Amino acid sequence: MARGLVLAAAISLAIACGPTSVVAQSRQPPSFQSSGNQAFDEWRDDFARRAVERGRDPAVLARLLSGITPDERVIELDQRQPEFVSPVWDYVNNRVTTRRIDDGRALQSEIGGTLRDVEQRYGVPTGIILGIWGLESNYGEAALNYDAAAALATLAYEGRRRQQFENYLIALAEMVERGLADQQQLRSSWAGALGQPQFMPDVYLTTAVDWDNDGHRDIWTNRGDTAASIGNYLQDRGWRRDEPVFDEVRLPSNFNYALADSTLRSVADWSERGVMRVSGGAWPGSERNLQAQLFLPAGAEGPALLLHHNFGVIRRYNNSDRYALVVALLARTFDGGSGSLAASWPTHAGSLNREQTLELQTLLNGLGYDAGSPDGLFGTKTRGAVRQFQGDQSLAADGFPTAALLDQIRVRAGVTPEPAREPRGLQRAGIRELQRLLNRLGYSAGRADGVIGGRTRDAIRDFERARGMEVRGRATDVVLEAARAAAG
């Protein structure tokens, strides 16, 4: 039987029988045919046994997990999430777009009354709800190309966050048992997120809202349920009504950038240190006692932001400063403001790709700076190690990694990188291959016709920035080799 029909049968069975019949069914763990991957089979069988012990229905587990094999595309996407591997300015500019803003305003016009009612109930501004909605699913227009059970099983088996994704799988099985989602609704993102607000299954169970009281918490097609579910999520995670998300600020000369260390200080404290709002004027008295941390998303040369409590609440939706910043910028446009920051991004400084970040972590650890386990992801621990190194070298301790900083760390560690060779231009066949690879990696190079046009040059530049390469926009053998490596 086809996988879709099997899963649909499981859902129909759960709906027809209800919880009482589920309890009465055999509690023996299900058995599976081999997937051809012994390690995956061992994980799947053990997971199913433990899930049954936690009360899940063996028949539903059997149908959800039968015929699944690990999806290498899911693992690849997990390892190169744009929150971590693209320069912050590319991440922001590629998401705060005219199209997304226009579509959000159109939706705001269509269901403005519902959005105002949701804001009134949960205290979360309409702009924030629309910002998350647009970023998560393009207001419900994004295609969900993955089977949720297969995606979640792949990431649980892969092991980096095994317990987390096993819990998601168990919640998905509960959704099926309770008849809360049909087969089409179990389509997901590569990470197993569901519906227009992209809720993980456990979040759906605890947080989704039946706004119109029709008996269904429909985050797939019902706009009122979707908006209310986002609002309820943020309220539940601590959203503070009528408080700001962030302020863009201007720092005084000779500022101590080591203060951008995630420490919370009152707005009054920051003001006394010479920090001023870019928008001008003093902070209102009602905001001077608010706690905020200084955030330098692109180091000392880029914008400076004071992050308030609600910025952290947005991060509960997606644990990324960049994500929260994009949501806040989109929200500002829906309130009639600008979707860009006043300060320019320091694109000339470049940023590090994953391989370079891995080298930076390894070298810092070797020098006695604790950058954590080298994984190529620039997190809090690595940022702290960079800040300590910068301070010891009398550099601006902004914690921001650049190619120039990596060179200084190499010198300190006594490492001499191989000199870069002069790139050679590609012939038509090589250009076609490069175009195909760039398109596969998500850079829009246009048709793979072997002809260099503006679209292909822009795609090459975006790829070079994301990989921390010198930005030339030329189709060369060096770019082709990097694209082959990135595509695996």
Side-chain angles (χ1 to χ4, degrees):
M1 182 181 292
R3 173 168 167 71
L5 294 176
V6 170
L7 186 52
I11 296 172
S12 299
L13 176 64
I15 295 172
C17 296
T20 301
S21 297
V22 167
V23 172
Q25 291 175 15
S26 169
R27 308 313 298 175
Q28 292 297 317
S31 58
F32 302 92
Q33 293 184 349
S34 173
S35 69
N37 182 324
Q38 182 178 350
F40 177 78
D41 290 347
E42 291 174 355
W43 166 82
R44 179 201 58 204
D45 295 347
D46 182 62
F47 165 76
R49 175 187 59 77
R50 289 182 282 113
V52 170
E53 291 175 354
R54 290 177 59 176
R56 297 280 59 85
D57 176 19
V60 170
L61 289 168
R63 289 166 174 81
L64 283 174
L65 298 176
S66 291
I68 288 177
T69 57
D71 190 335
E72 293 300 323
R73 295 172 301 168
V74 168
I75 295 174
E76 178 186 353
L77 287 166
D78 183 51
Q79 292 177 345
R80 62 178 178 91
Q81 294 182 55
E83 284 87 349
F84 298 109
V85 300
S86 63
V88 59
W89 44 86
D90 282 349
Y91 181 87
V92 172
N93 293 336
N94 290 340
R95 286 159 181 77
V96 185
T97 62
T98 300
R99 172 69 180 273
R100 183 166 280 134
I101 293 167
D102 289 346
D103 288 350
R105 286 172 175 163
L107 181 58
Q108 186 176 18
S109 176
E110 290 179 35
I111 62 167
T114 297
L115 290 168
R116 287 189 293 273
D117 290 343
V118 168
E119 178 175 347
Q120 179 63 32
R121 178 177 298 184
Y122 298 106
V124 181
T126 289
I128 297 294
I129 291 173
L130 287 171
I132 289 176
W133 199 343
L135 196 52
E136 291 294 333
S137 66
N138 282 330
Y139 314 104
E141 294 300 318
L144 299 177
N145 298 320
Y146 293 83
D147 177 285
L152 295 172
T154 294
L155 291 168
Y157 159 71
E158 186 264 343
R160 186 164 67 88
R161 294 170 287 171
R162 174 161 293 176
Q163 182 175 355
Q164 178 181 350
F165 279 90
E166 286 185 346
N167 288 338
Y168 294 153
L169 258 180
I170 287 172
L172 188 74
E174 183 177 346
M175 288 179 64
V176 173
E177 291 171 22
R178 293 168 57 182
L180 299 175
D182 62 29
Q183 171 64 19
Q184 182 59 35
Q185 291 164 339
L186 292 182
R187 301 298 297 173
S188 73
S189 70
W190 63 264
L194 304 168
Q196 296 191 35
Q198 287 289 273
F199 277 0
M200 301 308 291
D202 62 330
V203 172
Y204 175 85
L205 289 172
T206 60
T207 312
V209 172
D210 177 14
W211 178 255
D212 57 5
N213 296 313
D214 67 352
H216 303 284
R217 293 180 289 166
D218 181 5
I219 61 171
W220 295 274
T221 62
N222 188 306
R223 289 171 164 178
D225 288 3
T226 297
S229 295
I230 295 171
N232 186 43
Y233 181 98
L234 294 175
Q235 182 198 58
D236 182 69
R237 270 65 177 180
W239 186 271
R240 293 178 183 171
R241 187 185 295 262
D242 298 326
E243 286 193 10
V245 174
F246 78 89
D247 282 306
E248 186 175 3
V249 296
R250 184 176 295 108
L251 305 178
S253 58
N254 300 319
F255 183 78
N256 178 11
Y257 289 98
L259 294 174
D261 61 357
S262 301
T263 299
L264 288 170
R265 296 176 172 85
S266 69
V267 167
D269 186 317
W270 288 116
S271 180
E272 290 169 4
R273 295 174 188 270
V275 176
M276 301 176 62
R277 292 198 302 178
V278 166
S279 59
W283 273 277
S286 60
E287 296 183 9
R288 289 184 62 79
N289 290 326
L290 295 178
Q291 298 293 301
Q293 68 181 66
L294 180 62
F295 177 48
L296 306 173
E301 295 187 60
L305 313 174
L306 284 188
L307 307 183
H308 298 286
H309 170 82
N310 284 338
F311 190 95
V313 176
I314 299 173
R315 279 191 52 143
R316 299 288 299 276
Y317 210 103
N318 182 315
N319 190 24
S320 164
D321 291 322
R322 300 175 177 195
Y323 176 94
L325 177 58
V326 167
V327 169
L329 289 173
L330 286 170
R332 200 160 66 177
T333 69
F334 302 134
D335 291 332
S338 171
S340 60
L341 297 170
S344 300
W345 296 107
T347 55
H348 62 279
S351 64
L352 302 186
N353 61 37
R354 188 160 187 170
E355 291 79 9
Q356 291 169 319
T357 301
L358 182 65
E359 180 187 2
L360 176 136
Q361 292 169 322
T362 302
L363 293 177
L364 284 173
N365 284 337
L367 291 170
Y369 300 93
D370 185 6
S373 178
D375 57 6
L377 301 178
F378 196 81
T380 301
K381 204 160 190 179
T382 306
R383 187 181 302 277
V386 166
R387 186 177 289 112
Q388 291 174 22
F389 176 85
Q390 291 170 321
D392 288 347
Q393 300 300 308
S394 299
L395 303 170
D398 58 12
F400 185 68
T402 63
L405 179 67
L406 178 57
D407 285 341
Q408 290 178 282
I409 294 172
R410 286 167 174 161
V411 170
R412 180 73 184 279
V415 173
T416 304
E418 295 183 9
R421 60 180 174 79
E422 184 62 26
R424 295 190 300 271
L426 299 176
Q427 299 300 314
R428 189 158 188 161
I431 294 171
R432 280 198 297 268
E433 180 185 0
L434 177 60
Q435 289 168 323
R436 286 194 293 269
L437 289 170
L438 290 173
N439 286 331
R440 177 180 165 189
L441 291 167
Y443 301 92
S444 181
R447 190 161 59 93
D449 57 6
V451 177
I452 293 292
R455 193 169 179 182
T456 300
R457 289 193 183 91
D458 287 344
I460 292 172
R461 291 188 186 100
D462 289 343
F463 175 75
E464 289 171 325
R465 290 189 192 98
R467 304 289 294 182
M469 303 167 66
E470 182 180 356
V471 180
R472 296 186 175 188
R474 293 174 51 207
T476 67
D477 58 338
V478 172
V479 177
L480 179 59
E481 288 171 7
R484 286 170 175 163

